[in-house]
Amino acid sequence: MKLTLKVWRQKSANDKGKIETYPIDNISEHMSFLEMMDVLNEQLITEGKIPVSFDHDCREGICGMCSMHINGEPHGPDRGVATCQLHMRKFKDGDTIYIEPFRAKGFPIIKDLVVDRSAFDRIQHAGGFVSVNTSGNTQDANALPIPKADADTAFDSATCIGCGACVAACKNASAMLFVSAKVSQFSLLPQGKVEAKRRVLHMVEQMDKEGFGNCTNTGACEVECPKGISLENIARMNREYLKASVSSSK
Amino acid sequence: MATLDAKIPAGPIKDKWTKHKNDINLVNPANKRLIDIIVVGTGLAGGAAAASLAEMGYSVKAFCFQDSPRRAHSIAAQGGINAAKNYQNDGDSIYRLFYDTVKGGDYRSREANVYRLAEVSGNIIDQCVAQGVPFAREYGGLLDNRSFGGVLVSRTFYAKGQTGQQLLLGAYSAMNRQIGKGKIKMYNRHEMLELVKVDGKARGIIARNLVTGAVESHSAHAVVIASGGYGNVFFLSTNAMGSNTTAAWRVHKKGAYFANPCYTQIHPTCIPRSGDYQSKLTLMSESLRNDGRIWVPKNIDDIEAIRSGKIKPVQIAEENRDYYLERRYPAFGNLVPRDVASRAAKERCDAGYGVNATGEAVYLDFASAIKRYGKEKAIVTGEENPSDSRIIELGEGVIEDKYGNLFQMYEKITDDNPYKTPMQIYPAVHYTMGGIWVDYNLMTSVPGCYAAGEANFSDHGANRLGASALMQGLADGYFVLPYTIGDYLADDIRTGEIPTDSTEFKEAEEAVKARITKFMDNKGTKSVDHFHKLLGKIMWDKVGMARNEKHLKEAIAEIRVVREEFYKNVLIPGGAMELNPELEKALRVEDFLELGELFACDALARTESCGGHFREESVELDGPQKGEAKRDDTNFAYVSAWEWTGDPGQAKLHKEELEFNDIELKQRSYK
Ligand SMILES: Cc1cc2nc3c(=O)[nH]c(=O)nc-3n(C[C@H](O)[C@H](O)[C@H](O)COP(=O)(O)OP(=O)(O)OC[C@H]3O[C@@H](n4cnc5c(N)ncnc54)[C@H](O)[C@@H]3O)c2cc1C
Ligand code: SF4
Ligand code: FES
């Protein structure tokens, strides 16, 4: 395939940044999108230019590091995949592809396509845990049976990879899907119930502090989420939040 | 040749750990906060260690090169984690897990360490459940188990195909609690480039801030290396793109012995490569071998027809298929250990039976499992006389529940539907059993420098059993290091903060800056990847699944040539004081190019075959085991620990003799 790439180039956080155009040839449909980017970078290096910086690591859709806005969609046109799992067979010979970073106030750009998502970590520091110390004498893992349905739903929420596509997809740059996934996981498990109120209040407070916008229920996040994290998580978190704020204002 | 003291506590194996914990020094809580510990790596080993040490009161500084600790490579582990809980009442016990691990490692691991690992395995599951890790459960609400290769019991705990992710998020959440409290200071996007020693002790590291490019000194009373494995020395592996050997290698160059570098695990079930542009290989979890059957066509004519697309695999009749693992190893069948399964696949493909265009692929087929599960499901749900297509539908549902994300991953990559046609798989580099040598306390040969997780060599001998790396990483991090490190640090309570303005730090910092400048100023013409791929090809062709003297000697010479060429001709665009992925890669590949040579030297010196290390010169010539790997216990029952002397080809060998008091040395048979 022959393609035209329009790539966001920005030298540093303070640079204004602009779109550059790069023609690219001999792209196989079996390549992954990031392998296509490798080819582009190899080409740029040979031409004495600066290669495009982008985040990636596992290249199998699980670490959450990759984060490209492709043709206006976080992680590109395919569904249920992260950027690294997108394959060139989703494109046609002659296509022009726009490649930009995830854009949100909470995710400042570091360079080119690399953004700073440490706000997500800080939200987790505020309450994304069960307060249990390491010890050799926690109760036996089977002492407390958990209904399979609850365990399975908690697992579904826990599969969030923290990529930030939900934020990038949202016109308000809201982080509700991400935060609610963590809150849900713990609220569905007996181990997480003890601290449920504190957790939801603190995590939401930190989320607001980080400059993420409000949720207006557009559902764009769910569509772009590579792990299929559903809007039910947001509903569950809203219920948890309401319960917690009512009881804490008493 | 010196011998090495592993500091194994005396006494019967089952009492060693308990007794040792009672005997070692402790640091009192008030003193702990005066003690700094650096943890390099936030995977299962580093994450668990950092969280536990901080909970105990130490001041921890943790480092990772990703943008968040949650993205460490452990996140990618799929299949599961072992523990001797015997929840299934199938005869499991601490002893059996110990025995299986030593046998699976082909009798090249240290008994005392493995026993301790088995002993704490149960605690790991308890701990993780308490943290809210959502393991798979049965309808009764209790934890579910599956079985994994090389063993006869079901002791593997799992969370669909995302076990590593869930365990790592557990450790990450424990870290987050301590970061929030200020007990862990987290350095994301930082890469350790040097170990700093003061008076012979590990006292800090030099790290590069990957965003600003600044070269920084960080001090501590002890340094823990939990930086993962070095499989990427092959360029292509199932490891994440950033996985590297730099932290481990730099510690080695500062005096830590590197043990058994040639012990590599080639995993039998990975998606075959599709072209030269390939950047990494993707694992299909071993758990799939519980339900998938591996085969190639029996007749060479069918191979031709398959490759040219004239027939499809599903059209090949049962009697024309060669289920070669079931044929060769009737007792274990598709569940033989990884090294055995990988070599068997290579044997078939070398004989011309590979099923894709490159000739490097075999089938992993779920059709019979789908039928079997479909029938069972119909009975459970009370459907009477279900049609064949209904059975398949039900069976596919069961398979989806078990392996949904893996099947999806496969389909996204290959564009083939594995519910309807067998997967194509081929072995790929996956895990490195070798690593930094550590004693029973996990201390390296540099005082105050520890190594945990895949970065050390400790528990898996010459071959690791499936689902045991996660177990080891968490055992090291949650349950071993937090105790053993106190014994060393007890002497440091009056030391006070380690200053970073000493000559030792300054010199180390200057050396790192000089390395960076040398790369930036190089007027080369070739990218880092160019050299990394050259190294990878030599490693795979000559130091890969089957090794012989001639190839190993060639490899050593060729690696030296590539290394020289790399320094002359590598080109690093951009600047040093900014985010520069090419510079990051260059600093990693520099170390891979040295490690690769030591790796080949180690493989050359070990003329026996054991576990993942297969020397073509050492095979059984006759009897029922004809053609199988031949171990040589008389001459090689030791750990090879290499000391850096200035050139990887001139490393000095130290031997740790392995004693087997609780397990009888036997030929490993899976027939
Ligand atoms: C695809 C795949 C599937 C697997 N599945 C299983 C499984 O089902 N069961 C099982 O038991 N095992 C499995 N394994 C093996 C297992 O995942 C790993 O061995 C284990 O997770 C390694 O953990 P670790 O903590 O030692 O290192 P890692 O998780 O690799 O973490 C390394 C850490 O070190 C940091 N680091 C490295 N170098 C530096 C540096 N120079 N400076 C700063 N930081 C640095 C990284 O940022 C990272 O945080 C699998 C492996 C792969 C590749
Ligand atoms: S909710 Fe989905 S889109 Fe948002 S961070 Fe998690 S995985 Fe990414
Ligand atoms: S690179 Fe890990 S999710 Fe894409």
Side-chain angles (χ1 to χ4, degrees), chain A residues 11 28-32 34-35 38-39 41-42 45-46 48-66 78-81 84-87 89-90 110-112 114-118 120-122 124-152 154-164 178 182 185-186 189 191-192 195 226-227, chain B residues 48 51-52 55 65-73 75-78 85 87 122-123 125-127 129-143 159-162 165-166 169 172-181 186 188-189 211 238-243 274 277-283 401 405 408-409 411-415 477-479 482-483 525-530 533 571 573-575 578-582:
Chain A
K11 269 183 77 77
S28 149
E29 57 167 14
H30 297 299
M31 276 183 194
S32 72
L34 295 186
E35 282 166 347
D38 293 341
V39 173
N41 277 346
E42 193 65 40
I45 294 171
T46 329
K49 295 186 185 141
I50 309 282
V52 182
S53 290
F54 59 90
D55 268 335
H56 65 111
D57 198 21
C58 72
R59 294 205 178 186
E60 44 190 67
I62 194 76
C63 74
M65 192 103 179
C66 61
D78 203 358
R79 287 292 164 258
V81 296
C84 59
Q85 296 168 291
L86 178 64
H87 275 71
R89 61 181 82 92
K90 296 283 161 192
I110 295 174
K111 183 176 180 180
D112 296 339
V114 178
V115 300
D116 179 356
R117 286 168 288 187
S118 50
F120 269 15
D121 280 335
R122 289 189 293 273
Q124 301 280 11
H125 303 162
F129 48 78
V130 173
S131 296
V132 53
N133 280 355
T134 309
S135 79
N137 48 21
T138 343
Q139 72 171 352
D140 185 82
N142 260 352
L144 192 64
I146 300 175
K148 182 170 164 45
D150 288 352
D152 287 351
F155 170 81
D156 288 342
S157 304
T159 56
C160 161
I161 58 175
C163 62
F178 166 76
K182 198 78 223 166
Q185 176 198 341
F186 287 135
L189 296 172
Q191 290 83 3
E195 296 168 282
K227 293 292 136 181
Chain B
S52 306
E55 286 163 9
F65 62 75
Q66 293 91 347
D67 68 336
S68 163
R70 67 177 292 155
R71 308 208 200 280
H73 171 57
I75 199 95
Q78 301 171 350
K85 281 285 199 185
Y87 284 159
N123 290 343
I125 304 303
D126 300 341
Q127 185 66 34
V129 166
Q131 289 170 341
V133 169
F135 283 118
R137 289 180 183 266
E138 294 167 347
Y139 283 100
L142 301 179
L143 295 165
K160 273 205 181 151
Q162 284 122 295
Q165 178 193 33
Q166 294 311 316
L169 293 180
Y172 166 71
S173 72
M175 281 184 84
N176 284 333
R177 178 165 161 245
Q178 299 304 321
I179 296 173
K181 288 182 176 175
M186 185 64 225
N188 297 331
R189 293 198 197 266
V211 175
T238 62
N239 289 7
M241 300 298 288
S243 297
S274 73
Y277 48 80
Q278 193 92 30
S279 61
K280 73 156 282 169
L281 296 167
T282 302
L283 176 76
D401 266 355
N405 74 311
Q408 185 224 24
M409 201 190 268
E411 184 166 6
K412 290 291 175 195
I413 293 174
T414 62
D415 213 17
Y478 283 136
F479 297 114
Y483 288 101
T525 55
K526 299 252 164 57
S527 69
V528 180
D529 279 357
H530 168 81
K533 284 181 182 174
L571 167 69
E578 60 185 21
L579 181 75
N580 189 338
E582 290 299 312

Side-chain angles (χ1 to χ4, degrees), chain A residues 60, chain B residues 40-47 63-66 69 71-82 148 163-164 168 190-193 226-229 238-240 242-244 246-247 280 282-283 285 338 430-431 452-455 464-471 473:
Chain A
E60 44 190 67
Chain B
V40 179
T42 60
L44 291 186
F63 292 78
C64 72
F65 62 75
Q66 293 91 347
R71 308 208 200 280
H73 171 57
S74 294
I75 199 95
Q78 301 171 350
I81 176 166
N82 289 331
F148 248 54
T163 317
L168 184 63
H190 273 69
E191 184 137 339
M192 166 185 170
L193 295 174
S227 54
T238 62
N239 289 7
S243 297
N244 70 88
T246 290
K280 73 156 282 169
T282 302
L283 176 76
S285 166
R338 294 173 176 178
H430 177 59
Y431 182 89
E454 193 173 339
R464 175 175 69 75
L465 289 182
S468 285
L470 301 182
M471 171 173 69

Side-chain angles (χ1 to χ4, degrees), chain A residues 64 75 102 107 120 157 159-167 175-181 221-222 224-230, chain B residues 70:
Chain A
H75 298 312
F102 281 3
F107 295 161
F120 269 15
S157 304
T159 56
C160 161
I161 58 175
C163 62
C166 45
V167 174
M176 285 288 273
L177 197 62
F178 166 76
V179 180
S180 68
C221 52
E222 185 185 44
E224 302 296 351
C225 172
K227 293 292 136 181
I229 302 294
S230 85
Chain B
R70 67 177 292 155

Side-chain angles (χ1 to χ4, degrees), chain A residues 8-18 108-112 114, chain B residues 211-212 577-578:
Chain A
W8 183 260
R9 302 304 307 262
Q10 179 170 339
K11 269 183 77 77
S12 64
N14 304 323
D15 182 35
K16 263 193 21 224
K18 60 172 191 302
I109 293 176
I110 295 174
K111 183 176 180 180
D112 296 339
V114 178
Chain B
V211 175
T212 64
M577 298 309 286
E578 60 185 21

Side-chain angles (χ1 to χ4, degrees), chain B residues 22 29 37 61 83 184 261 288 414 428 466 508 580-581 610 612-613 623:
Chain B
N22 292 334
I37 301 176
K61 304 174 188 179
I184 298 180
L288 294 173
T414 62
N580 189 338
C610 60
H613 170 61

